[in-house]
Amino acid sequence: MFKKETYIKRREQLRKDVGHGIIIIPGNHEAPCNYKDNTYWFRQDSTFLYFFGLQREDLVGVIDCDNGKDYIFANDYDIDDIIWTGPLPSVKELAASVGVGNTGNLNALRRKLASAKDFHYIAPYRADITRQLSELLGIKYDAVARFASMELTLACVKQRSIKSAEEIAEIEKAIATAYNMHVGAMKMAMPGRYEYELAGFMEGEAWKGNGPVSFPVIMTVHGETLHNHGHNNKLTKGRMLVMDAGCETAMNYCSDITRSVPVGGKFDSRQKAIYEIVLGANLEAIRVTKPGITYKEVHQAASRKLAEGYKGLGILKGKVDDIVEAGAHSLLMPHGLGHMMGLDVHDMENYGQINVGYDNETRPSEQFGLGSLRCGRRLQPGFVITDEPGCYFIPALIDKWKAGGKCKEFINYRELEKWKDFGGIRIEDDVLVTKTGCRVLGKPIPKTVKEIEDTMAS
Amino acid sequence: MFKKETYIKRREQLRKDVGHGIIIIPGNHEAPCNYKDNTYWFRQDSTFLYFFGLQREDLVGVIDCDNGKDYIFANDYDIDDIIWTGPLPSVKELAASVGVGNTGNLNALRRKLASAKDFHYIAPYRADITRQLSELLGIKYDAVARFASMELTLACVKQRSIKSAEEIAEIEKAIATAYNMHVGAMKMAMPGRYEYELAGFMEGEAWKGNGPVSFPVIMTVHGETLHNHGHNNKLTKGRMLVMDAGCETAMNYCSDITRSVPVGGKFDSRQKAIYEIVLGANLEAIRVTKPGITYKEVHQAASRKLAEGYKGLGILKGKVDDIVEAGAHSLLMPHGLGHMMGLDVHDMENYGQINVGYDNETRPSEQFGLGSLRCGRRLQPGFVITDEPGCYFIPALIDKWKAGGKCKEFINYRELEKWKDFGGIRIEDDVLVTKTGCRVLGKPIPKTVKEIEDTMAS
């Protein structure tokens, strides 16, 4: 937890930005896995964490813009609980630790909200919270999302987009653990191993840093399958292994790192060729990222590097600018260059991509690929954003485009056929926008061909 | 997955046992963590797994007792999904793999249930499933639990209580991974380490076995705090470390093992004294466990061993049988000896403890301690049950009993004061009831004082 002044200041700013009504920020409940008392790890809601900082389940934070007061509502543990749990702070003590002077039980919350007409909440992403808001506010379950507050949403985005020095320090702590996850897994990436062994190692390293993984580990010799859940493949020589994984600190600040390595430790010439192209795009993004540029422009700068590279291999043809404008290169990278990161690995994704990554000035593209860019808006100092270009040869997608003759003036489909068994590569860093440019956060994790080969040989 | 005949046979038996109406078995959905698309690991519902075996989210299984047919309802992935996920089997193919010939989308399910009056479902433990049943059946959210089917519940308990040879093999696979978890963590249990480092190691080992932990790892130098969530303590010499952890296989069969070790690797005389008493109780339970005896009797046999031991230390006084009858020993072990284990670590806990662990013959006790026994009923060959006696010096509980003069004819409260800083010890194995007795499952994990000291020194 940060010191209480941090949370007081954040709530004051929110009250000022929203200006009227009662802001309700429900903390999360325990999430049952296979029966009620067997739960997944407790993950506090990020909005609650940002403004109230407390990790206990079943709390509700209220920021009253009309009377200027903050509240925490929750039922205290009873004395029998305490025999099993050991001594625990009361709700009053918890609230005081984050500078909240007013507390009450859940009945008091019900009374406070019973007649409230001017209230704000964020659209919930869990069924139990939807149900809770439905009950508390007398709104039908299906209508809860409809009455979510855009004023509150945008006010949260405004504050949380700019990371403070203490937040950056937490993020770098998460990257320090990601270093252990990635370097350890690289060394394990030898033929005969299974993906789940390496993914398991990463899970363990994350928890050894005292927090969970920040999202389910992606560990796959089929990097071309972007939405990959399983870890059942055996590592075999000749495959590239895509490892996309990060962790959360005990305070739930995140890291999100991708490295792609050749099974066995030595890049072959095709792997090296594609790797250098993707690395070039990753470095180009770092080169151009600075306040004032939009991330859409950064995405396009990286795209030009990719297009250039593919031209060199004979996969694409024509002028680089024309290729990028037509989106022909997106056949090999159907996703965006990156997203914000902070208390969520896709920071604030529950607020809606359009509200977080875009604004009145910058709107999402409708083009394939670029349209998937989660954050396109103009960068400001304090933004933390991922830089994660990739190259994927997705047979089903190539076949679909080819059959439709899509971008055939730019794509050498005959040449492309030779790459359909390649798989995929992605390289991802976490980047802080500074006053004058940007800084790749954390202790550098092996990234060049040489660094990776050296690490895997050690 | 087992072969499809296994699932066909199980469903036939269930249809016969329930006899009438439509049995609805909803599979689980993804469980959102901090936003909709960032989910915890997918955990299929155990009832669904038992009868339908499939790991995909959003499936609904239906067993129609009236027309004799089985169904899987789900929406198929669309072609755009497949570009991102790679080729996936259709619902029809999935269903066929577990011997189900009838499939439909979720609208077809709605039509099938629209007019159903005679239906059965298990009371849900997740809010999203409660919501789904509420919608499908036109029952108010709060009333969903009320209309759960006791006939279905008891029919499920009947089948799932008896583990087949193929289920036992899976459980032993889970114990093989637990062996790695526990032996590795024992070796790490040195002063200066933090609990979360060892807990993290265990998480990693679980996933390296290709499944999750079967419940949140308990790793604590305060074993006396039974409901312990955090892992923030530093290991210091003189503390006993309680490690209660298990894993699930890829098919979600569980292990659940507890070992307690002295930080640093050498038991001191007090630690050894308590450890030998608890071990004696664990071994006594193994000695007497066999078909025909109730687990309540086994609990009481273990209790007598504990009482005997505490008498020897001067903590308790009086006749052993009188101590146990009065429940005086339960001050130091307020929980039951064990619970069933299978597809859930507390097997079938979502069906209700009274329905799983008790029956018309054996009812739960109302006595403190014994009343917490999750399974008291008469044992049958094929039951898998945990044997987990413990000893905990819980200061708040000791003070409460002392203040009330509880069992003061059996408890030497003055002597007990000397132990209040001890912490706790628990020893747990997973035991199969055989035709003639029982068998501790899995490769033996170091358990005696000597075995533990040797392991920690190696």
Side-chain angles (χ1 to χ4, degrees):
Chain A
M1 225 165 55
F2 296 130
K3 56 190 189 312
K4 67 181 170 189
E5 287 71 23
T6 298
Y7 301 103
I8 294 171
K9 213 175 119 194
R10 289 172 177 178
R11 292 193 301 266
E12 275 312 315
Q13 186 63 48
L14 191 69
R15 198 190 325 271
K16 214 169 115 185
D17 289 339
V18 173
H20 61 96
I22 296 174
I23 299 168
I24 307 157
I25 304 179
N28 277 337
H29 309 294
E30 292 280 11
C33 180
N34 52 330
Y35 50 88
K36 184 172 164 288
D37 286 344
N38 201 23
T39 58
Y40 292 105
W41 73 80
F42 176 70
R43 178 51 157 88
Q44 185 57 287
D45 173 69
S46 297
T47 307
F48 188 91
L49 276 179
Y50 190 81
F51 292 104
F52 291 96
L54 299 167
Q55 293 283 1
R56 215 200 85 170
E57 68 282 7
D58 303 337
L59 304 173
V60 180
V62 167
I63 299 171
D64 190 326
C65 301
D66 300 327
N67 73 7
K69 289 182 184 169
D70 299 334
Y71 304 77
I72 300 262
F73 293 97
N75 294 335
D76 262 310
Y77 293 110
D78 70 22
I79 200 114
D80 280 344
D81 290 335
I82 288 167
I83 287 170
W84 310 122
T85 56
L88 287 174
S90 66
V91 172
K92 215 173 181 58
E93 288 164 328
L94 285 173
S97 73
V98 290
V100 174
N102 308 287
T103 59
N105 63 21
L106 294 178
N107 282 331
L109 172 63
R110 264 182 210 102
R111 284 194 301 274
K112 182 163 177 72
L113 296 181
S115 57
K117 283 182 204 152
D118 184 12
F119 51 77
H120 304 269
Y121 60 82
I122 300 287
Y125 50 89
R126 289 189 181 188
D128 52 353
I129 299 291
T130 308
R131 172 71 187 159
Q132 185 180 21
L133 287 169
S134 158
E135 271 206 321
L136 281 171
L137 297 168
I139 299 171
K140 279 197 176 175
Y141 185 99
D142 284 337
V144 168
R146 191 188 317 157
F147 293 101
S149 165
M150 191 49 66
E151 287 162 286
L152 175 61
T153 302
L154 295 178
C156 289
V157 170
K158 184 184 143 197
Q159 274 199 64
R160 287 179 56 188
S161 294
I162 310 290
K163 271 69 179 177
S164 68
E166 57 190 358
E167 290 184 285
I168 300 299
E170 275 291 312
I171 290 170
E172 294 208 273
K173 209 189 280 181
I175 300 173
T177 300
Y179 178 97
N180 297 337
M181 295 165 71
H182 279 271
V183 170
M186 276 181 197
K187 294 180 181 180
M188 291 171 74
M190 297 299 149
R193 289 271 202 178
Y194 283 85
E195 291 164 351
Y196 58 75
E197 296 179 76
L198 281 68
F201 168 82
M202 282 190 157
E203 286 267 353
E205 289 301 310
W207 283 111
K208 279 157 88 175
N210 206 10
V213 290
S214 52
F215 59 96
V217 173
I218 295 173
M219 174 67 69
T220 178
V221 291
H222 287 286
E224 77 282 8
T225 305
L226 294 182
H227 298 178
N228 209 325
H229 279 293
H231 298 133
N232 286 311
N233 297 308
K234 199 175 190 168
L235 307 195
T236 52
K237 217 169 149 56
R239 300 300 304 172
M240 284 298 296
L241 176 67
V242 175
M243 315 191 294
D244 186 350
C247 63
E248 298 188 354
T249 64
M251 287 179 66
N252 300 109
Y253 281 88
C254 299
S255 58
D256 183 3
I257 301 287
T258 308
R259 290 295 181 265
S260 301
V261 304
V263 174
K266 281 278 169 201
F267 288 82
D268 67 27
S269 61
R270 281 173 20 129
Q271 290 171 337
K272 197 174 166 188
I274 298 293
Y275 193 88
E276 296 287 8
I277 291 170
V278 178
L279 181 60
N282 167 279
L283 295 174
E284 176 69 2
I286 294 165
R287 196 181 67 79
V288 302
T289 292
K290 62 177 180 190
I293 194 171
T294 69
Y295 212 57
K296 205 183 229 176
E297 290 165 333
V298 179
H299 174 105
Q300 293 299 60
S303 296
R304 282 190 295 274
K305 279 283 171 190
L306 293 171
E308 246 176 62
Y310 302 144
K311 262 188 76 174
L313 292 179
I315 297 171
L316 297 185
K317 54 193 177 183
K319 281 192 191 153
V320 165
D321 285 344
D322 296 344
I323 291 171
V324 170
E325 203 192 318
H329 64 297
S330 301
L331 172 57
L332 304 183
M333 176 175 139
H335 63 70
L337 183 65
H339 51 80
M340 291 227 189
M341 195 188 74
L343 274 171
D344 305 299
V345 63
H346 290 173
D347 208 24
M348 307 176 272
E349 183 163 306
N350 63 313
Y351 299 161
Q353 179 178 306
I354 188 97
N355 302 316
V356 176
Y358 292 88
D359 52 22
N360 289 333
E361 181 204 353
T362 324
R363 306 304 293 169
S365 165
E366 297 195 354
Q367 193 178 68
F368 181 86
L370 185 56
S372 298
L373 179 62
R374 291 175 194 274
C375 180
R377 68 186 170 119
R378 207 166 286 285
L379 301 178
Q380 300 171 38
F383 280 21
V384 171
I385 197 149
T386 65
D387 165 19
E388 48 177 315
C391 172
Y392 320 92
F393 297 91
I394 308 172
L397 188 61
I398 292 170
D399 291 346
K400 195 181 160 192
W401 277 39
K402 190 179 179 181
K406 196 164 169 189
C407 293
K408 63 176 191 288
E409 61 276 40
F410 299 115
I411 299 173
N412 187 344
Y413 280 109
R414 185 169 306 176
E415 190 57 32
L416 199 50
E417 284 296 322
K418 300 179 193 161
W419 292 87
K420 275 168 85 177
D421 64 345
F422 181 89
I425 283 177
R426 181 165 61 257
I427 305 172
E428 176 182 23
D429 294 311
D430 305 327
V431 174
L432 169 69
V433 180
T434 60
K435 279 185 187 161
T436 54
C438 74
R439 175 164 78 82
V440 176
L441 289 172
K443 176 178 169 186
I445 299 171
K447 189 162 82 163
T448 65
V449 165
K450 182 171 184 328
E451 286 164 359
I452 289 171
E453 289 188 344
D454 288 352
T455 302
M456 293 180 75
S458 70
Chain B
M1 226 165 53
F2 297 128
K3 55 191 193 308
K4 67 181 170 190
E5 287 71 22
T6 298
Y7 301 103
I8 294 171
K9 213 175 118 193
R10 288 173 177 177
R11 291 193 301 267
E12 276 311 317
Q13 185 63 48
L14 190 69
R15 199 188 327 270
K16 214 169 114 187
D17 289 339
V18 174
H20 60 98
I22 296 174
I23 299 167
I24 308 157
I25 304 179
N28 277 338
H29 309 294
E30 292 280 11
C33 181
N34 51 331
Y35 50 88
K36 185 171 164 288
D37 286 344
N38 201 23
T39 58
Y40 291 104
W41 72 80
F42 176 69
R43 177 52 158 88
Q44 184 57 288
D45 173 68
S46 297
T47 307
F48 188 92
L49 276 178
Y50 190 81
F51 293 104
F52 291 96
L54 299 167
Q55 293 284 1
R56 213 200 87 169
E57 68 282 5
D58 303 337
L59 305 173
V60 180
V62 167
I63 300 172
D64 191 326
C65 301
D66 300 328
N67 73 6
K69 288 183 185 168
D70 299 332
Y71 304 78
I72 300 262
F73 293 96
N75 293 334
D76 262 310
Y77 294 109
D78 70 23
I79 200 115
D80 280 341
D81 291 334
I82 288 167
I83 286 171
W84 310 121
T85 56
L88 287 174
S90 67
V91 173
K92 216 174 179 59
E93 289 164 326
L94 285 173
S97 72
V98 291
V100 174
N102 308 287
T103 58
N105 63 20
L106 294 177
N107 282 332
L109 172 62
R110 263 182 211 103
R111 285 194 300 274
K112 181 162 178 74
L113 296 181
S115 57
K117 282 182 205 150
D118 184 12
F119 50 78
H120 304 269
Y121 60 82
I122 300 287
Y125 51 89
R126 289 188 181 189
D128 52 352
I129 298 292
T130 308
R131 173 73 186 158
Q132 186 181 19
L133 287 169
S134 157
E135 271 205 322
L136 280 171
L137 297 168
I139 299 171
K140 280 196 176 175
Y141 185 99
D142 284 337
V144 168
R146 191 188 316 158
F147 293 100
S149 165
M150 190 50 63
E151 287 163 285
L152 174 61
T153 301
L154 294 178
C156 289
V157 170
K158 184 184 142 196
Q159 274 198 66
R160 287 179 57 188
S161 295
I162 311 290
K163 271 70 180 176
S164 68
E166 57 191 357
E167 290 184 286
I168 300 298
E170 275 291 313
I171 290 171
E172 294 208 275
K173 210 188 280 178
I175 299 174
T177 299
Y179 179 96
N180 298 337
M181 295 165 70
H182 280 271
V183 170
M186 276 180 198
K187 294 180 182 178
M188 292 171 73
M190 297 298 149
R193 290 270 202 178
Y194 282 85
E195 290 165 353
Y196 58 76
E197 296 178 77
L198 282 69
F201 168 83
M202 281 190 158
E203 286 268 352
E205 289 301 310
W207 283 111
K208 279 156 88 174
N210 205 9
V213 290
S214 52
F215 59 97
V217 173
I218 295 173
M219 174 68 69
T220 178
V221 289
H222 287 286
E224 77 282 8
T225 306
L226 294 181
H227 298 177
N228 210 325
H229 278 294
H231 298 133
N232 287 310
N233 297 307
K234 199 174 190 169
L235 307 195
T236 52
K237 217 170 149 56
R239 300 299 305 173
M240 285 298 297
L241 176 66
V242 174
M243 315 191 294
D244 186 349
C247 63
E248 299 188 353
T249 63
M251 287 179 66
N252 299 109
Y253 281 88
C254 299
S255 57
D256 183 4
I257 301 287
T258 308
R259 289 294 182 265
S260 301
V261 304
V263 173
K266 279 280 170 198
F267 287 82
D268 67 28
S269 61
R270 282 173 21 129
Q271 290 171 336
K272 197 175 166 188
I274 299 292
Y275 192 88
E276 296 288 9
I277 292 169
V278 177
L279 182 60
N282 167 280
L283 296 173
E284 176 69 2
I286 295 165
R287 195 181 68 81
V288 302
T289 291
K290 62 178 179 187
I293 195 171
T294 69
Y295 213 56
K296 204 185 230 174
E297 291 165 332
V298 179
H299 174 104
Q300 293 300 59
S303 295
R304 282 191 294 274
K305 279 284 171 190
L306 294 172
E308 247 175 62
Y310 301 145
K311 260 188 78 175
L313 292 179
I315 295 171
L316 297 185
K317 55 194 178 185
K319 282 191 191 157
V320 165
D321 286 345
D322 296 344
I323 291 170
V324 171
E325 205 193 315
H329 65 295
S330 301
L331 172 58
L332 303 184
M333 177 176 139
H335 63 69
L337 183 65
H339 51 79
M340 292 225 187
M341 195 189 73
L343 274 171
D344 305 299
V345 63
H346 290 173
D347 207 24
M348 307 176 271
E349 183 163 304
N350 63 313
Y351 298 162
Q353 180 178 307
I354 189 98
N355 302 316
V356 177
Y358 293 88
D359 52 21
N360 289 333
E361 182 204 354
T362 324
R363 305 304 291 169
S365 165
E366 297 195 353
Q367 193 177 69
F368 181 85
L370 185 56
S372 299
L373 179 63
R374 291 174 193 274
C375 180
R377 68 186 171 120
R378 209 166 285 284
L379 301 178
Q380 299 172 37
F383 280 20
V384 171
I385 196 149
T386 65
D387 166 18
E388 48 177 315
C391 172
Y392 320 92
F393 296 92
I394 308 172
L397 188 60
I398 293 170
D399 292 345
K400 195 181 160 193
W401 278 39
K402 190 179 177 180
K406 197 166 169 187
C407 293
K408 64 177 191 288
E409 62 276 38
F410 300 114
I411 300 173
N412 186 344
Y413 280 108
R414 186 168 306 175
E415 191 57 33
L416 198 50
E417 283 297 322
K418 299 179 195 163
W419 293 86
K420 275 167 86 177
D421 64 345
F422 182 89
I425 283 175
R426 182 165 60 255
I427 305 172
E428 176 181 23
D429 294 312
D430 304 329
V431 174
L432 170 69
V433 181
T434 61
K435 279 185 186 160
T436 54
C438 74
R439 176 164 76 82
V440 176
L441 291 172
K443 175 177 167 187
I445 299 171
K447 190 163 80 161
T448 65
V449 165
K450 183 171 184 328
E451 285 164 0
I452 288 171
E453 288 189 344
D454 287 353
T455 303
M456 293 180 76
S458 70

